[in-house]
């Protein structure tokens, strides 16, 4: 679930408030949005993709709150990592251009069905 | 909610802004209709497609390729798919993928030619938002619908809802409505699915519509035990093991068997490791580009999936990957209710998939095809009414709502999440669950007053979950065989005498009956009786 709105990185654009599909954030009068309804977070990571400041962090756990440490996330190069992997960060090109899913399907093993 | 209502009028109202809804909106506006598109969340991030990556059922128009494509999954689907519908979906998808390229989607290229076989959700849905906006569609984000409006003849005439960030109601009069609100994954947090709570099924049924194929509503997807990413394609590179490290030997008929994994999960923890890509850096790089988000929960937990095993579970995706949904009556994706159209996961996908879909491919093709037809059909219907449609006398069709949504949501989840209730179905288990669900339905309140927009949304979502689970289990009870994803422990084989669709109708009392066959692909003239 969403665990961090970085106070130092946030540029107060409120894009996360607008784009979150499950309306997790609230805008605030003094600027930095707050995580108002954390349990509604569906852990889709899209707020990170749209954040222009790499100020958000969605932890892997979809069901339970976990503590995160901003300095550690920065040290581990995790802030903004999803945006970069999509090629949406400044200077990036869409990762879609490098998509080899069609090649993978030809050589992949058994899918999960039935 | 004390703010005054937003009141609007339009030719076509589209509910839900995923792929089906955006294709419906674009086709309706291109046909000359005025269009409003409302979404519970944000058009671009909302729905099962936006956070995902998916292959698309796009097949070159040659007889050989098309024949192979039609027959490939026929047995898996239990021989319930329809060739006429498959053909027209294949034609429409082939055409629409050219449009996606023309609109600027960055397809990978090989030898100078775009390779149009898949779509990455974030890129695709960002593009579709821009496409419908440029075409003149008015978008209302964060504006969940709550009920249909119907006129004195029972024709759908718009909808009501709330703008949850402004805490005010909206009322939109429309000449026709397209329901494209997705399937129902019962708030399981399957990737991108938590807005998909079966609302559209409830709206349609309250207006007099019917459901079909609701027994095909028990698709489960492999995900990490702690995470939300229910993307299963990469597990084709996996080995599954139990706590003791023994290989589950889950491969049967060339596929990992969900039921083998499920039976192991009922005994204890199950783990996966992408062993087939171990020590193959080029494959690992391909996998990362193909589905970046598959790796997010793993990277963020310090797990290297190629060298370490990680705990997995099966997460219910309900009718998002299931094939049940609103029953269509003709090729324009009309429903049994005049003025109401349905598309995408909200509509049944039995017509092209029967009782099973492995993943995004057919569903993505269905969304863009059925969305296109529903948008065109709704525009035609609205035009047939003329200007007078907005002056009709209308009333809200909505009813049941939960005063304590969390209790109802938990109550439904207790009946639909457990593998031994919903994946391995039995008559006694289904009857027991239905008894509980019927009790929940009877205790819902009619038009419970709501303090806030969020409360109004949640109370109706809870009602939709209860209703969807009841249609699913009532249909499952009636299908006394194993076909497609519907698995009856007490009837473990396919019965040729039950090779038909099942129709579910009703709210307080649910009736199940056999359907005569697939609807015609031709479009009836709209509203001739008017």
């Amino acid at each position: 679930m969403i665990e961090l709105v970085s106070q130092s990185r946030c540029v107060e654009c409120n894009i996360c408030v607008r784009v979150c599909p499950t309306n997790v954030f609230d805008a605030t009068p003094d600027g930095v949005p707050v995580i108002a309804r954390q349990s509604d977070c569906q852990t889709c990571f899209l707020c990170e993709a749209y954040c222009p400041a790499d100020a958000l962090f969605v932890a892997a756990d979809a069901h339970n709150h976990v503590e995160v440490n901003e300095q550690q996330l920065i040290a581990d190069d995790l802030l903004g990592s999803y945006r970069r992997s999509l090629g949406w960060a400044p200077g990036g090109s869409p990762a879609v251009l490098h998509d080899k899913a069609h090649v993978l399907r030809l050589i992949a093993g058994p899918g999960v069905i039935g | 909610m004390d703010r005054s209502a937003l009141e609007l009028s339009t030719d076509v109202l589209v509910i839900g802004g995923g792929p089906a809804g955006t294709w419906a909106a674009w086709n309706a506006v291109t046909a000359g209709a005025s269009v409003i598109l409302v979404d519970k969340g944000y058009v671009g991030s909302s729905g099962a497609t936006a956070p995902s990556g998916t292959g698309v059922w796009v097949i070159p128009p040659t007889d050989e390729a098309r024949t192979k494509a039609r027959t490939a999954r026929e047995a898996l689907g239990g021989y319930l798919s329809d060739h006429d519908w498959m053909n027209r979906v294949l034609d429409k998808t082939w055409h629409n993928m050219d449009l996606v390229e023309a609109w600027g989607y960055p397809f990978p290229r090989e030898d100078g030619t775009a390779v149009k076989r898949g779509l990455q959700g974030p890129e695709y849905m960002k593009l579709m938002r821009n496409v419908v906006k440029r075409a003149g569609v008015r978008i209302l984000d964060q504006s969940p619908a709550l009920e249909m409006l119907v006129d004195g003849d029972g024709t759908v005439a718009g909808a009501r809802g709330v703008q949850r960030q402004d805490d005010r109601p909206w009322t939109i009069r429309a000449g026709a409505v397209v329901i494209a609100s997705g399937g129902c994954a019962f708030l399981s947090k399957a990737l991108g699915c938590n807005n998909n709570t079966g609302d559209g099924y409830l709206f349609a049924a309250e207006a007099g519509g019917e459901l079909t194929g609701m027994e095909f509503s028990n698709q489960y997807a492999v995900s990490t035990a702690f995470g939300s990413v229910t993307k299963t394609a990469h597990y084709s590179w996996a080995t599954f093991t139990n706590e003791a490290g023994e290989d589950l030997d889950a491969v049967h008929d060339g596929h990992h068997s969900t039921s083998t994994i499920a039976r192991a999960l009922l005994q204890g923890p199950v783990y996966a490791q992408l062993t087939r890509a171990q020590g193959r850096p080029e494959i690992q790089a391909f996998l990362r580009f193909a589905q970046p988000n598959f790796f997010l929960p793993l990277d963020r937990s310090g797990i290297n999936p190629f060298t370490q095993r990680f705990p997995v579970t099966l997460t219910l995706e309900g009718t998002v990957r299931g094939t049940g949904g609103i029953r269509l009556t003709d090729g324009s994706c009309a429903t049994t209710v005049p003025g109401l159209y349905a598309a995408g996961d909200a509509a049944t996908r039995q017509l092209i998939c029967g009782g099973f879909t492995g993943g995004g491919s057919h569903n993505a093709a269905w969304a863009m095809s059925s969305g296109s037809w529903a948008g065109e059909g709704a525009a035609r219907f609205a035009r047939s009414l003329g200007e007078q449609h907005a002056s009709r006398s209308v009333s809200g069709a909505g009813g049941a709502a939960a005063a304590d949504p969390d209790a109802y949501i938990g109550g439904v989840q207790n009946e639909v999440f457990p593998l031994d209730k919903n994946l391995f179905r039995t008559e006694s288990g289904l009857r027991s669950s239905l008894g509980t669900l019927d009790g929940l339905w009877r205790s819902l309140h009619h038009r419970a007053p709501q303090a806030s927009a969020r409360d109004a949304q949640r109370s109706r979502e809870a009602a939709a979950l209860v209703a969807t689970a009841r249609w699913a289990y009532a249909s499952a009870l009636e299908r006394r065989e194993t076909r497609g994803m519907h698995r009856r422990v007490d009837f473990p084989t396919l019965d040729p005498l039950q090779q038909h669709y099942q129709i579910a109708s009703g709210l307080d009392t649910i009736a199940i009956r056999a359907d005569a066959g697939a609807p015609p692909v031709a479009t009836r003239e709209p509203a001739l009786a008017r």
Side-chain angles (χ1 to χ4, degrees):
Chain A
M1 297 188 292
I2 179 76
E3 295 289 358
L4 175 72
V5 181
S6 166
Q7 300 293 308
S8 56
R9 290 187 170 210
C10 178
V11 294
E12 303 178 7
C13 66
N14 284 327
I15 287 175
C16 56
V17 179
R18 282 204 299 130
V19 306
C20 173
T22 55
N23 198 29
V24 161
F25 304 97
D26 273 346
T28 63
D30 62 350
V32 177
V34 294
I35 302 167
R37 289 163 294 275
Q38 187 186 37
S39 62
D40 285 353
C41 176
Q42 61 174 354
T43 316
C44 70
F45 304 98
L46 284 171
C47 56
E48 284 191 31
Y50 278 87
C51 177
D54 294 336
L56 304 173
F57 184 75
V58 178
D61 199 310
H63 306 284
N64 302 295
H65 165 67
V66 294
E67 293 295 330
V68 297
N69 178 303
E70 183 173 346
Q71 293 315 310
Q72 190 61 50
L73 294 173
I74 293 169
D76 293 343
D77 206 22
L78 285 175
L79 284 194
S81 60
Y82 183 43
R83 189 163 75 116
R84 286 192 295 277
S85 72
L86 291 174
W88 284 14
S93 68
V96 175
L97 291 169
H98 312 288
D99 187 358
K100 300 283 186 195
H102 57 291
V103 179
L104 284 168
R105 267 191 287 278
L106 295 178
I107 54 177
V112 184
I113 61 168
Chain B
M1 285 179 289
D2 48 11
R3 296 190 53 184
S4 61
L6 175 68
E7 304 217 2
L8 300 169
S9 177
T10 186
D11 294 333
V12 173
L13 169 65
V14 180
I15 297 174
T22 48
W23 280 97
W26 186 82
N27 278 274
V29 82
T30 302
S34 59
V35 180
I36 297 176
L37 171 59
V38 297
D39 193 274
K40 191 185 281 183
Y42 175 84
V43 178
S45 70
S46 209
T49 295
S52 305
T54 178
V56 178
W57 199 42
V58 51
I59 308 292
T62 67
D63 286 346
E64 190 190 353
R66 292 281 169 96
T67 303
K68 193 174 156 207
R70 280 194 308 269
T71 52
R73 291 196 191 179
E74 240 174 1
L76 285 169
Y79 306 98
L80 290 178
S81 47
D82 180 86
H83 279 213
D84 288 343
W85 278 88
M86 283 194 278
N87 283 333
R88 71 193 295 251
V89 166
L90 287 169
D91 286 344
K92 195 71 178 174
T93 303
W94 185 256
H95 170 73
N96 281 358
M97 288 295 272
D98 286 344
L99 282 175
V100 173
E101 184 186 10
W103 288 332
Y105 182 88
F107 284 108
R109 303 186 84 81
E110 263 179 12
D111 306 325
T113 309
V115 181
K116 292 178 279 187
R117 294 187 194 160
L119 292 165
Q120 289 285 5
E123 208 73 58
Y124 175 34
M125 293 317 300
K126 186 166 78 169
L127 174 72
M128 291 306 291
R129 180 184 180 89
N130 290 333
V131 165
V132 299
K133 275 183 78 170
R134 275 204 306 270
V137 171
R138 179 168 181 183
I139 295 174
L140 297 182
D141 297 308
Q142 307 288 354
S143 300
L146 296 176
E147 65 173 338
M148 294 288 109
L149 297 175
V150 293
D151 72 8
D153 298 330
T155 300
V156 164
R160 277 197 196 113
V162 286
Q163 293 202 288
R164 60 187 184 181
Q165 293 189 340
D166 298 322
D167 215 31
R168 69 169 170 176
W170 56 258
T171 300
I172 300 175
R173 300 292 201 97
V177 174
V178 178
I179 291 182
S181 51
C184 178
F186 299 98
L187 292 170
S188 69
K189 293 199 177 181
L191 190 62
C193 289
N194 264 32
N195 280 345
N196 304 20
T197 48
D199 310 0
Y201 305 154
L202 181 62
F203 301 159
E206 287 172 338
E210 297 177 326
L211 288 307
T212 178
M214 292 304 287
E215 64 273 33
F216 305 120
S217 49
N218 57 340
Q219 188 70 32
Y220 288 81
V222 181
S223 74
T224 63
F226 48 84
S228 60
V229 180
T230 41
K231 302 308 296 178
T232 55
H234 283 6
Y235 289 102
S236 63
W237 302 85
T239 304
F240 293 91
T241 50
N242 62 14
E243 187 69 65
E246 296 161 339
D247 192 329
L248 293 186
D249 197 17
V251 180
H252 297 287
D253 299 329
H255 298 280
H256 285 298
S257 159
T258 301
S259 39
T260 302
I261 297 168
R263 275 189 280 273
L265 278 168
L266 289 169
Q267 303 300 315
V270 172
Y271 300 84
Q273 182 180 335
L274 306 186
T275 47
R276 294 188 64 242
Q278 194 170 0
R280 300 168 77 180
E282 78 291 356
I283 301 268
Q284 296 179 11
F286 282 179
L287 290 168
R288 283 189 177 272
F289 277 122
Q291 286 190 350
N293 57 10
F294 176 85
F295 293 92
L296 287 177
L298 298 162
D299 291 345
R300 292 172 184 210
S301 305
I303 294 166
N304 180 336
F306 302 107
T307 59
Q308 293 170 272
R309 68 178 196 158
F310 52 94
V312 294
T313 191
L314 289 169
T315 299
L316 183 63
E317 293 183 312
T319 58
V320 174
R321 257 195 247 232
T323 61
I326 298 168
R327 180 172 173 242
L328 306 178
T329 55
D330 74 9
S332 72
C333 297
T335 69
T336 49
V337 186
L340 185 64
Y341 294 75
D345 293 357
T348 181
R349 267 156 295 149
Q350 290 175 113
L351 304 172
I352 63 161
C353 300
F356 173 84
T357 74
S361 135
H362 287 58
N363 302 342
W366 174 251
M368 64 170 67
S369 301
S370 62
S372 298
W373 297 318
E376 290 165 1
R380 204 177 310 124
F381 187 92
R383 191 159 54 239
S384 77
L385 296 181
E387 291 297 318
Q388 55 87 21
H389 80 72
S391 57
R392 288 179 287 177
S393 169
V394 298
S395 58
D404 177 8
D406 288 346
Y408 285 83
I409 291 165
V412 173
Q413 290 176 336
N414 281 342
E415 301 307 322
V416 297
F417 282 177
L419 295 161
D420 48 3
K421 290 184 179 177
N422 200 2
L423 186 64
F424 302 115
R425 293 167 164 177
T426 62
E427 167 140 1
S428 59
L430 289 167
R431 283 198 190 284
S432 166
S433 288
L434 260 181
T436 303
L437 294 164
D438 286 345
L440 288 176
W441 180 259
R442 281 193 299 272
S443 68
L444 287 167
H445 292 79
H446 191 77
R447 293 184 177 277
Q450 302 301 331
S452 70
R454 182 174 184 275
D455 290 345
Q457 174 198 328
R458 296 277 288 180
S459 70
R460 288 287 280 163
E461 286 179 339
L465 292 189
V466 179
T468 302
R470 290 172 68 234
W471 289 312
Y473 280 1
S475 301
L477 199 53
E478 206 60 32
R479 191 176 278 289
R480 294 177 182 83
E481 62 164 348
T482 290
R483 185 186 294 269
M485 71 181 66
H486 169 68
R487 191 181 281 100
R488 282 286 293 265
V489 175
D490 43 355
F491 296 100
T493 58
L494 185 141
D495 171 11
L497 296 178
Q498 296 182 55
Q499 189 177 336
H500 52 68
Y501 301 134
Q502 291 194 135
I503 300 169
S505 58
L507 288 158
D508 293 337
T509 305
I510 294 173
I512 308 293
R513 68 183 199 276
D515 199 351
V521 293
T523 302
R524 293 165 304 150
E525 283 303 308
L528 281 181
R530 298 190 65 85

